[in-house]
Amino acid sequence: MNVRKFFGGRDNRPSDPASAYYRLPFSGLTGRILILNVIGLAVLVGGILYVNQYRTGLIETRLTAMRSQAEMLAGALAETVESETETGELKKERAAALLRRLSADRSDRVRLFETDGTLALDTRKLNPSTSVVTIPLPPPGQREQVSMLQALWAKFRAFSIRTLSSDPQYPLYEERYDQTAADYPEVLKALTGEFDEMVRTKPDRSLVLSVAVPVAHFRHVLGALLVSVETTEIEEVVRQERLAILEIFLVALSVTMLLSILLAGTIARPVQRLAAFAHTVRQGRGRQAIVPDFSRRHDEVGDLSRALRDMTLALYHRIDTIEGFAADVAHEVKNPLTSLRSAVETMERTQNPDHKAKLMTIIKHDIDRLTRLISDISNASRLDAELLRADMQEIDVPSMMREIIGVFAAHDDKVIAGTSKRRPRIVLDVEGYNLVVYGIESHLGQVMRNLIDNAISFSPPGGVITISVRRNRDTVFISVDDEGPGIPDERLDEIFERFYSERPEEEGFGSHSGLGLNISRQIITVHDGAIRAENRYGPEGEVGPPLGARFTITLPAVGPPQKAPKPSDRSSTEIS
């Protein structure tokens, strides 16, 4: 079944998908909440009407009263026996007089059966009714003046009661002209010395209640007394009770539907607005739309609103980053292309071999610069996708650093390629236990290799690079210290921007793309960490140039520290 169509939605939806979320009179969520609440109420009321305990209680109360009356009459009849022996017989004249006096003003019918099953006495024949039954009629001309609404309401009530209730199936009451004890099972049982009772129904749905008790004298059964009553009072009381329950149900149903619609409205309408905003963003008009703000609601809808707002801001930031990255790439690629074009044009106009050789060197340098730039740009472009696809795992930071430092120490030459500088020594200082983080080891290793490369480039010949790993509560700190000239204070943040490059003079211009630190910051940010740069100075109060630069990385630690670090817990590894 089409849920939208069932709850009032339109199949011919508008061309604008976002507007479709405001065209549904009842959303699917509203319909589900309404149906579930109504079903619970209907099951409760239906169960009350179906069980019929109230009717059973009324019948049992009436039968108990009739049994008491029957036992009293049977005892009185037994006293009419003249003989004091067990073989005494009932005197019909005395019994008839007694029953006539005791049942003159009662609606109950009393019948006396002899031991052979024949009907001896019947109060209906002893006291023939001479009263006139009157039924008041409405004034002339008003009998048919019943509104259609009242008629429909009456039919609806009758249909609802018949559908929801479970009237017990009583045997049909039939009375023959020459009735005997065999027509009434309860009388046959009473003739054996036990009492019995029976409930029957007549075609007009009225009930016939009957109680049969033995008439005994000195434990000798002289006959059976059957007390019966035809009543419509019980059915009328039950009917009135069901009508009252039905009316209460309709009132409760109205309140439940109203509250359900109000409750669903507080959920469905905000979700519809959030969904419409999402479609607006998908169509590329998100910058012009305003995110619906439900953050003041302390529930799941408020959480969804905040999450959607944060996701949208992150998406806009990502779009801005991509746009800025594209502009920066175009600018960086344009510079070597301009240099290439100038060198090629100059080469066409000169015939000097020395000049051509210099121009060819420039062209090769620019080509190498473009190749390196394109490779770095390609790696940076794939970085986000790789970070999303890769699985994070627990990483032991000291072990990772020893492997990385071991790679740098594996070089046979002790001189930096392309320079005359002697390679610095690398010292690893580990303090504390359980220095474990959760992340992608290959990318964290890429960050550390980039920082060590930078430290090597700026360190003086024979200098020392110190890598420290320690833990403070729930954070692991990794710092890389060099003994270089430091970083200008005004550029401590600028060095993390894309394509920023400031290298030593001996490395030459264009040997680096300037994306290393920017990529490092992206990787650390994905790991919920931070990276910062600062200069190292001497003791407090000492004036002078910086002793070198320091890059510090902070990452969330995994698990509690095994124990508080002590000076003896410190280990140092020197690799030269």
Side-chain angles (χ1 to χ4, degrees):
M1 178 183 290
N2 190 333
V3 176
R4 292 179 178 270
K5 186 175 181 180
F6 179 78
F7 290 114
R10 301 181 181 180
D11 289 335
N12 51 343
R13 301 177 188 176
S15 57
D16 185 5
S19 63
Y21 286 84
Y22 298 99
R23 297 293 183 89
L24 298 176
F26 287 98
S27 67
L29 182 61
T30 302
R32 293 186 185 95
I33 293 177
L34 188 61
I35 288 177
L36 291 177
N37 288 338
V38 170
I39 287 177
L41 183 61
V43 168
L44 175 62
V45 175
I48 294 175
L49 295 177
Y50 188 83
V51 171
N52 279 313
Q53 290 184 349
Y54 185 63
R55 177 208 296 269
T56 304
L58 291 176
I59 293 176
E60 291 179 353
T61 301
R62 187 65 179 271
L63 289 173
T64 301
M66 292 173 61
R67 178 184 175 185
S68 300
Q69 177 192 358
E71 290 176 346
M72 181 187 66
L73 290 175
L77 289 175
E79 296 297 328
T80 62
V81 178
E82 293 183 352
S83 175
E84 303 237 345
T85 65
E86 295 183 358
T87 59
E89 297 181 356
L90 289 172
K91 297 296 182 180
K92 292 185 179 180
E93 295 79 6
R94 293 183 180 184
L98 179 61
L99 292 179
R100 185 181 293 110
R101 288 196 307 269
L102 294 179
S103 61
D105 299 327
R106 300 181 63 88
S107 60
D108 299 349
R109 182 182 180 183
V110 181
R111 281 167 281 188
L112 180 62
F113 291 87
E114 297 181 359
T115 55
D116 59 358
T118 60
L119 178 62
L121 294 174
D122 187 350
T123 56
R124 180 171 292 179
K125 296 178 180 179
L126 294 176
N127 299 312
S129 176
T130 58
S131 60
V132 178
V133 179
T134 61
I135 300 176
L137 297 176
Q142 296 185 5
R143 297 184 181 181
E144 303 298 331
Q145 293 182 3
V146 180
S147 66
M148 181 179 297
L149 184 60
Q150 291 176 336
L152 291 176
W153 170 241
K155 291 181 180 180
F156 172 75
R157 292 191 304 179
F159 173 77
S160 300
I161 291 176
R162 287 195 306 270
T163 303
L164 296 176
S165 61
S166 61
D167 294 336
Q169 300 297 321
Y170 297 119
L172 185 65
Y173 177 77
E174 295 180 350
E175 183 176 332
R176 296 191 307 165
Y177 176 75
D178 54 344
Q179 51 186 312
T180 63
D183 297 331
Y184 306 100
E186 64 270 29
V187 175
L188 294 177
K189 189 172 183 180
L191 291 175
T192 64
E194 299 180 7
F195 83 94
D196 196 10
E197 57 191 24
M198 184 71 71
V199 180
R200 298 179 178 87
T201 183
K202 298 184 73 173
D204 60 357
R205 301 181 65 85
S206 62
L207 296 179
V208 178
L209 310 181
S210 60
V211 175
V213 296
V215 179
H217 183 68
F218 293 111
R219 297 185 178 180
H220 176 66
V221 178
L222 305 177
L225 190 67
L226 178 65
V227 179
S228 63
V229 62
E230 179 180 349
T231 178
T232 59
E233 295 178 357
I234 295 178
E235 290 300 308
E236 181 62 24
V237 171
V238 172
R239 190 179 73 87
Q240 293 297 331
E241 179 207 14
R242 289 174 174 174
L243 289 177
I245 293 175
L246 183 60
E247 292 175 356
I248 295 174
F249 166 71
L250 293 177
V251 174
L253 178 63
S254 302
V255 174
T256 300
M257 293 178 64
L258 179 61
L259 294 179
S260 299
I261 293 174
L262 292 177
L263 173 63
T266 61
I267 301 175
R269 281 193 293 271
V271 172
Q272 287 176 346
R273 291 181 59 188
L274 293 173
F277 171 78
H279 275 271
T280 302
V281 173
R282 183 178 63 84
Q283 292 176 343
R285 302 197 300 267
R287 293 296 180 97
Q288 303 168 359
I290 300 176
V291 183
D293 186 11
F294 302 106
S295 57
R296 291 178 295 180
R297 295 180 50 156
H298 301 288
D299 55 11
E300 290 75 5
V301 175
D303 296 340
L304 177 61
S305 173
R306 287 187 289 271
L308 185 60
R309 179 184 293 273
D310 295 341
M311 182 189 69
T312 305
L313 293 177
L315 178 62
Y316 292 161
H317 176 71
R318 182 65 57 86
I319 293 174
D320 293 338
T321 302
I322 293 175
E323 292 177 352
F325 183 74
D328 293 341
V329 167
H331 176 74
E332 291 298 321
V333 172
K334 185 177 180 181
N335 290 336
L337 287 178
T338 302
S339 176
L340 277 174
R341 180 177 180 180
S342 176
V344 171
E345 291 177 350
T346 304
M347 182 175 290
E348 291 178 351
R349 292 193 299 267
T350 183
Q351 300 297 328
N352 190 326
D354 295 335
H355 289 172
K356 287 186 175 182
K358 291 180 179 180
L359 292 174
M360 185 60 66
T361 302
I362 293 175
I363 291 174
K364 291 180 179 179
H365 179 272
D366 288 337
I367 291 176
D368 293 340
R369 181 183 174 190
L370 275 175
T371 302
R372 184 168 47 252
L373 187 62
I374 292 173
S375 298
D376 291 343
I377 290 173
S378 176
N379 294 332
S381 300
R382 295 195 306 267
L383 179 63
D384 287 343
E386 292 177 356
L387 290 174
L388 291 176
R389 286 196 300 264
D391 294 329
M392 292 191 176
Q393 57 186 357
E394 293 185 1
I395 302 171
D396 184 73
V397 177
S399 299
M400 179 185 70
M401 295 308 305
R402 291 187 182 95
E403 292 180 4
I404 294 174
I405 296 174
V407 173
F408 282 93
H411 293 286
D412 294 335
D413 56 331
K414 303 300 181 181
V415 179
I416 301 175
T419 67
S420 59
K421 293 173 56 177
R422 184 174 178 272
R423 280 186 174 276
R425 294 181 297 112
I426 302 177
V427 177
L428 176 62
D429 186 10
V430 178
E431 179 181 351
Y433 289 89
N434 199 20
L435 302 172
V436 180
V437 298
Y438 196 66
I440 307 170
E441 186 171 1
S442 60
H443 289 87
L444 288 180
Q446 177 184 351
V447 174
M448 298 312 305
R449 287 190 295 271
N450 182 61
L451 295 181
I452 295 174
D453 275 333
N454 290 341
I456 291 175
S457 298
F458 287 96
S459 293
V464 178
I465 298 174
T466 303
I467 301 176
S468 301
V469 181
R470 61 184 179 87
R471 174 169 178 166
N472 184 10
R473 296 183 180 179
D474 297 331
T475 305
V476 173
F477 294 84
I478 307 172
S479 60
V480 179
D481 298 351
D482 62 39
E483 296 178 348
I487 305 170
D489 292 337
E490 65 277 5
R491 295 187 177 180
L492 290 176
D493 293 330
E494 186 179 351
I495 60 175
F496 292 101
E497 295 180 0
R498 284 188 301 269
F499 302 110
Y500 178 86
S501 180
E502 186 171 339
R503 311 300 298 182
E505 295 181 359
E506 58 267 22
E507 292 190 11
F509 175 74
S511 59
H512 293 270
S513 63
L515 289 174
L517 289 178
N518 181 264
I519 293 175
S520 297
R521 183 173 62 178
Q522 292 183 49
I523 294 174
I524 296 300
T525 301
V526 169
H527 287 75
D528 296 327
I531 181 172
R532 70 178 187 274
E534 59 184 343
N535 290 314
R536 297 188 302 110
Y537 292 93
E540 186 177 356
E542 181 178 336
V543 179
L547 302 180
R550 171 180 293 163
F551 287 84
T552 302
I553 297 173
T554 58
L555 294 170
V558 176
Q562 294 181 357
K563 60 180 180 178
K566 301 177 182 178
S568 58
D569 295 336
R570 192 167 185 169
S571 63
S572 179
T573 303
E574 180 176 335
I575 303 176
S576 59

